[in-house]
Amino acid sequence: MVLGFSIALIVFSSLLMLLVLMHKGKGGGLSDMFGGGMQSSVGGSSVAERNLDRITVVVGLLWFACIVVLGLLMKLDS
């Protein structure tokens, strides 16, 4: 059981890193340092960006839940 959640945690962590890196820079911070500040946002978020935001939030919540379950399993195991 712990092994399964550990593998899920690795998968969710990798997926979360990729999803965060796919986001467009919103200006300010480190995104300006790498040239992200030169882009101008003409309108609001596109559908693809909003879906990417939603997917990132869902994967982040699954990642958090996986950490909580792993902590509980390890606490009960010892």
Side-chain angles (χ1 to χ4, degrees):
M1 189 85 154
V2 173
L3 180 64
F5 278 104
S6 296
I7 292 171
L9 182 62
I10 292 170
V11 170
F12 287 139
S13 297
S14 301
L15 189 59
L16 195 57
M17 280 191 307
L18 289 174
L19 287 171
V20 168
L21 288 174
M22 287 174 58
H23 278 87
K24 186 169 49 168
K26 304 286 190 228
L30 290 177
S31 64
D32 281 343
M33 188 183 300
F34 298 111
M38 298 180 74
Q39 300 170 351
S40 64
S41 59
V42 175
S45 303
S46 69
V47 175
E49 290 175 14
R50 280 185 270 146
N51 287 335
L52 184 62
D53 289 342
R54 290 179 187 135
I55 293 169
T56 304
V57 168
V58 169
V59 172
L61 290 173
L62 289 172
W63 178 81
F64 180 75
C66 192
I67 288 177
V68 170
V69 170
L70 263 175
L72 290 174
L73 285 175
M74 290 183 174
K75 183 178 178 180
L76 294 175
D77 196 29
S78 59

